[in-house]
Amino acid sequence: MDTWRKVVRWIDRASLISGQILAWWTLLAVVIITYEVTARYVFDRPTNWAHESMTLLFGMQYILSGAFAHYCKAHVRVDVVYQVLSPRNRARIDVLTDLLFFFYVGVMTYTGWFFYWDSQKMGEVSFTDWGPPLYPVKFTVFLGSLLLLLQGFAHFIRDCYFAATGSELT
């Protein structure tokens, strides 16, 4: 059981670190949007790069934040049914729903890799005047899905342990 504890802790740590990085990432996006709004409305000098980079940053942030949100149990649940169950039965339900989660996120991870790789091979760039490369943005689909899949695995281990023993895996 010690090996599983180590695996779960390692995955949790990766999710926490990604969440901390994304908190700073948000600050960067806010600085860029503030610059764009000031340039546009105060100086009447809008920029293509600021608007597009802000859009790309927020898109990447959205996909990369899934693992941290899953770690914090911030995703939506149907609480009407879930809350009336005992904690052990919740864990049993979670084990079953985790199988659907793994299918969905597994497909997203698999296709996310090819989505990125095709973009990388063709050197895909944005169609705007600025024209930044898009493959780093598309790589975040794969990376975010992979991190979410790993965090789902950690939750699955915890759920199985709790469903079987009635105690938390710490």
Side-chain angles (χ1 to χ4, degrees), residues 48-49 52-53 56 119 123-137:
N48 280 342
W49 72 266
E52 187 169 12
S53 64
L56 295 175
S119 180
E124 185 178 17
V125 297
S126 171
F127 58 86
T128 63
D129 294 338
W130 180 41
L134 291 179
Y135 57 87
V137 177

Side-chain angles (χ1 to χ4, degrees), residues 6-22 64-69 71 143-144 146-151 154 158:
K6 288 178 184 177
V7 167
V8 167
R9 286 182 187 146
W10 182 86
I11 293 170
D12 287 348
R13 196 170 312 120
S15 294
L16 284 170
I17 290 169
S18 71
Q20 291 168 345
I21 290 169
L22 289 170
L64 289 170
S65 64
F68 181 71
Y71 170 79
L143 180 60
L146 182 62
L147 290 170
L148 181 58
L149 191 63
L150 287 172
Q151 189 59 54
R158 282 192 186 96

Side-chain angles (χ1 to χ4, degrees), residues 63 102-120 135 137-146 149:
I63 193 71
F102 287 132
F103 175 75
Y104 173 76
V105 180
V107 168
M108 194 165 78
T109 305
Y110 178 80
T111 57
W113 173 258
F114 292 105
F115 184 62
Y116 152 72
W117 189 245
D118 289 343
S119 180
Q120 169 79 34
Y135 57 87
V137 177
K138 291 185 176 187
F139 181 74
T140 62
V141 174
F142 167 72
L143 180 60
S145 300
L146 182 62
L149 191 63

Side-chain angles (χ1 to χ4, degrees), residues 9 22 24 38 42 59 72 76 82 90 95-96 115 141 145:
R9 286 182 187 146
L22 289 170
W24 289 103
T38 304
V42 175
C72 295
V76 176
Y82 195 76
R90 287 183 205 161
V95 167
L96 293 175
F115 184 62
V141 174
S145 300

Side-chain angles (χ1 to χ4, degrees), residues 1-3 12-13 24-25 31-32 36 50 58 61 79 98 102 109 111 117 133-134 141 158 161 168 170:
M1 195 42 50
D2 267 352
T3 303
D12 287 348
R13 196 170 312 120
W24 289 103
W25 191 307
V31 167
I32 291 172
E36 172 60 18
F58 281 131
Q61 179 187 24
D79 283 340
D98 284 344
F102 287 132
T109 305
T111 57
W117 189 245
L134 291 179
V141 174
R158 282 192 186 96
Y161 186 81
E168 298 282 334
T170 55

